[in-house]
Amino acid sequence: MARYGMALDYKSCINCKACEVACKEENGILMGADKHRIWVGNGEIEGQYPLLDITSNAFYPSQCQHCDEAPCEEVCPTHATYYTEDGIVRVDPEKCILCSYCMNACPYDARYVDDRTVTVDKCTFCADTRLARGETTTACQNTCPTKVRIFGDLDDPNSEISEVLRTREHFSLKANLGTKPKLFYLT
Amino acid sequence: MKIGPLNIPIKEDFSIKSLLNFEKTPANMLIAVLTLSFLAMFVVGIATYLIHGHHAYNVTREHPWGLLIAVYIFFVVSSTGFCIVGSLGDVFGFKDYMMISKRAIFGSIVTILAGFAVIAFEIGHPVTMLIYNVLSPGLTSAIWWMGTLYGVYLTFMIIEFYFLLNNDMKKAKIFGLSGLLVGLAAHSNLGSVFGFLNARPISNGVFYPTYFILTAFITGIFLSFIVMGFRYKLDFNAQTKKMLEGLAKIQGLLISILIFFVTWKMLTDIYGGMPNRAEVAEHIFHSWTFWAEVILAMAIPLVVILTTMGKKPVLMFWVSLSGMVGVFFMRYNLVHDTQLKPLQMLKTTEYQLAPEWIHYFPSTTEMFISLGGLGLCIAMYYVGTKVFNLDEEHH
């Protein structure tokens, strides 16, 4: 089986938010600022004019990190949150009781409540839509004009993501928490 | 005494009509009106929740746990506290405390039922919870252990109360000890719900699981003063005075330990300098709700106990009432403070400022359901005093 992950060449991000729109469109996410699976974090410019630090004004596209040691999975009282064979962290709405413990436990603020199912929802790497149709890219990746995102199989040594992780330095968010995220930020 | 269904002894004069027979003093009338108002609020709150769901609450993606979680913790802490106090006599054999055992065990049942009534309207799918708690248990989840153990605990408490009513002290002791052990396990698991959160450094660690047991005992003693105060209308006999004096002295010791614990938690949190913990602790230190907790539940009771040597039970009754307000803030702070720090520190929309502290204030619906839980608790306790003989029986 594959073990899916994503690399983000975040310095190429122009904050056009096409990824946010594509995600909502592809996966039928409800409107509303709180209802999002992915987002672009925006660092503020630091310093005082004219001595501005423009490097602080970077854009950090983000979403569920699909951790190998996901705190949300560990705290779920009914196993509604589970790992698929592809290493994707998913929520089974049938089992979710909306105790919101996973929302509190996720260090990345990657979860929200879907008002239709009244259960917790999150990024699925488009497993129910694009991957189910046999496509090999996610909606956010496919729409990105500057090709920030590289999605693929981490266990396949010939995949683009494996290649880029071998050849470029990268970091993970909040790696000190031991969650082993599968989102990698390329430097 | 007459024997009711399932061989349960009930009071001779109990009837539905007898529920309305109480001394019509202004204080009693005020409590009755307040209780009925709280129950009405409960109904309105539930109706609003059933129509609007969680949108009736001020909980958000960033602050998913609100007042109802705090109130649930408040009630289950009260239950564990009652259970510990009740066990002093019938489990550990301290004769002076035997007189409060039955009342305290009944109190533990009533408070946990009130807690369950409140949490049922916070959990999005309580029926699904009952099904999948069994069908697909999440054994790594502190919530699963907490909920399951509390269910077992409630069962033991009810069985213990049954044997206490029947004066079968041997069996009451067996179920009392079992209930106490399971209750302590459940309660420390509730602390670990917060202690396991590695995303929230302010709560992560061993502090809460142990602190919960300590504060449960303190809460149980505050509640003992309150229920005994109502039982004897603040005119205590010598035996009750002796017991309350003992409880006050234990309370003095427990509150001193609590102050020691909280002081060191604050000092290590702030001066330990750990990112996401130090600044949160400093923020908590400057919040009025933290000082409400410190003054009402710690400072005032300790000063009163030390100056009176615990020999003024009437004063302790009033102090215990204010202490319970402090305990409420203790629970509210625990829940709110855990979520103070945003997990996503960057701006996520174009014209938005970077997030600072997460703000939360309960909605009217949340307040109504919470007060409803209190009303339910008082009403169930009152009915219990009418149905059962909660005093110690001598044979």
Side-chain angles (χ1 to χ4, degrees), chain B residues 48-123:
Chain B
T48 314
Y49 169 71
L50 292 177
I51 295 167
H52 299 288
H54 276 108
H55 292 293
Y57 303 158
N58 280 349
V59 291
T60 57
R61 176 179 182 138
E62 292 80 17
H63 197 294
W65 284 351
L67 179 65
L68 296 191
I69 295 282
V71 171
Y72 165 72
I73 297 172
F74 174 82
F75 280 123
V76 296
V77 170
S78 302
S79 177
T80 313
F82 261 139
C83 171
I84 297 172
V85 172
S87 303
L88 292 175
D90 71 342
V91 174
F92 297 109
F94 294 107
K95 295 222 172 345
D96 287 349
Y97 301 100
M98 206 70 97
M99 64 180 298
I100 198 176
S101 280
K102 217 190 292 178
R103 193 173 295 276
I105 298 304
F106 182 69
S108 76
I109 296 169
V110 162
T111 43
I112 200 166
L113 288 176
F116 284 163
V118 170
I119 200 73
F121 300 101
E122 165 61 35
I123 298 284

Side-chain angles (χ1 to χ4, degrees), chain A residues 63-76:
Chain A
Q63 61 186 70
C64 168
Q65 311 282 311
H66 293 282
C67 308
D68 273 340
E69 301 284 343
C72 56
E73 192 273 342
E74 284 173 16
V75 302
C76 181

Side-chain angles (χ1 to χ4, degrees), chain A residues 63-140:
Chain A
Q63 61 186 70
C64 168
Q65 311 282 311
H66 293 282
C67 308
D68 273 340
E69 301 284 343
C72 56
E73 192 273 342
E74 284 173 16
V75 302
C76 181
T78 57
H79 271 313
T81 295
Y82 64 100
Y83 301 108
T84 66
E85 289 179 335
D86 298 329
I88 300 173
V89 179
R90 304 234 17 206
V91 180
D92 180 350
E94 285 290 311
K95 290 184 184 172
C96 177
I97 62 169
L98 194 57
C99 64
S100 309
Y101 196 10
C102 55
M103 292 170 72
N104 243 323
C106 170
Y108 306 100
D109 193 18
R111 292 171 162 249
Y112 72 99
V113 180
D114 184 335
D115 286 340
R116 291 161 299 190
T117 56
V118 198
T119 55
V120 172
D121 190 34
K122 60 179 285 299
C123 165
T124 61
F125 275 153
C126 294
D128 291 333
T129 50
R130 297 178 67 87
L131 297 192
R133 293 197 299 266
E135 294 180 58
T136 54
T137 57
T138 60
C140 51

Side-chain angles (χ1 to χ4, degrees), chain A residues 15 34 36 39 41-42 74-75 77-79 94 97-99 101 104-106 109 111-112 115 118 174 177, chain B residues 54-55 61 65 123-125 128-129 132 136-138 140-141 143-144 193 198-200 339 343-344 347 350 354:
Chain A
N15 196 22
D34 263 5
H36 54 260
W39 62 90
N42 189 345
E74 284 173 16
V75 302
T78 57
H79 271 313
E94 285 290 311
I97 62 169
L98 194 57
C99 64
Y101 196 10
N104 243 323
C106 170
D109 193 18
R111 292 171 162 249
Y112 72 99
D115 286 340
V118 198
K174 301 187 183 181
L177 296 179
Chain B
H54 276 108
H55 292 293
R61 176 179 182 138
W65 284 351
I123 298 284
H125 304 281
T128 309
M129 178 186 75
Y132 285 105
S136 85
T140 53
S141 169
I143 281 193
W144 185 88
V193 167
N198 71 347
R200 314 279 187 175
Q339 302 167 95
L343 294 166
Q344 172 57 257
K347 289 194 290 185
E350 197 62 31

Side-chain angles (χ1 to χ4, degrees), chain B residues 27-306:
Chain B
N28 282 353
M29 289 304 288
L30 177 68
I31 294 170
V33 170
L34 279 177
T35 305
L36 290 174
S37 310
F38 290 162
L39 290 174
M41 287 177 190
F42 195 51
V43 174
V44 174
I46 290 169
T48 314
Y49 169 71
L50 292 177
I51 295 167
H52 299 288
H54 276 108
H55 292 293
Y57 303 158
N58 280 349
V59 291
T60 57
R61 176 179 182 138
E62 292 80 17
H63 197 294
W65 284 351
L67 179 65
L68 296 191
I69 295 282
V71 171
Y72 165 72
I73 297 172
F74 174 82
F75 280 123
V76 296
V77 170
S78 302
S79 177
T80 313
F82 261 139
C83 171
I84 297 172
V85 172
S87 303
L88 292 175
D90 71 342
V91 174
F92 297 109
F94 294 107
K95 295 222 172 345
D96 287 349
Y97 301 100
M98 206 70 97
M99 64 180 298
I100 198 176
S101 280
K102 217 190 292 178
R103 193 173 295 276
I105 298 304
F106 182 69
S108 76
I109 296 169
V110 162
T111 43
I112 200 166
L113 288 176
F116 284 163
V118 170
I119 200 73
F121 300 101
E122 165 61 35
I123 298 284
H125 304 281
V127 178
T128 309
M129 178 186 75
L130 294 175
I131 297 167
Y132 285 105
N133 233 30
V134 178
L135 293 185
S136 85
L139 298 180
T140 53
S141 169
I143 281 193
W144 185 88
W145 283 101
M146 180 266 293
T148 308
L149 289 170
Y150 267 133
V152 177
Y153 159 82
L154 175 60
T155 312
F156 281 141
M157 287 294 100
I158 291 171
I159 298 173
E160 181 190 6
F161 184 62
Y162 173 81
F163 286 123
L164 283 173
L165 285 175
N166 282 295
N167 271 306
D168 188 340
M169 301 312 283
K170 203 175 165 190
K171 285 183 185 151
K173 186 175 181 171
I174 294 167
F175 283 98
L177 180 61
S178 311
L180 176 68
L181 294 175
V182 175
L184 292 177
H187 201 55
S188 49
N189 265 287
L190 178 55
S192 77
V193 167
F194 297 87
F196 279 133
L197 291 172
N198 71 347
R200 314 279 187 175
I202 192 68
S203 304
N204 183 261
V206 73
F207 184 76
Y208 282 131
T210 48
Y211 161 93
F212 263 47
I213 301 298
L214 176 65
T215 55
F217 201 172
I218 290 171
T219 309
I221 294 181
F222 280 146
L223 287 168
S224 299
F225 274 97
I226 294 170
V227 294
M228 293 310 263
F230 277 105
R231 166 64 185 86
Y232 291 100
K233 296 168 192 157
L234 298 181
D235 185 16
F236 303 108
N237 58 31
Q239 193 195 359
T240 312
K241 266 187 188 159
K242 191 181 171 201
M243 183 204 69
L244 292 178
E245 193 182 319
L247 280 180
K249 285 179 179 165
I250 298 172
Q251 187 76 318
L253 173 67
L254 295 175
I255 292 176
S256 304
I257 297 171
L258 177 64
I259 291 172
F260 186 77
F261 274 23
V262 171
T263 304
W264 272 110
K265 171 149 174 64
M266 273 310 209
L267 286 172
T268 51
D269 280 355
I270 293 175
Y271 295 107
M274 188 177 162
N276 292 330
R277 178 181 278 168
E279 67 269 34
V280 177
E282 207 167 330
H283 186 82
I284 294 167
F285 189 75
H286 291 107
S287 67
W288 71 267
T289 51
F290 171 71
W291 290 102
E293 165 188 336
V294 170
I295 291 167
L296 295 173
M298 299 178 214
I300 294 176
L302 187 63
V303 168
V304 169
I305 291 167
L306 291 180

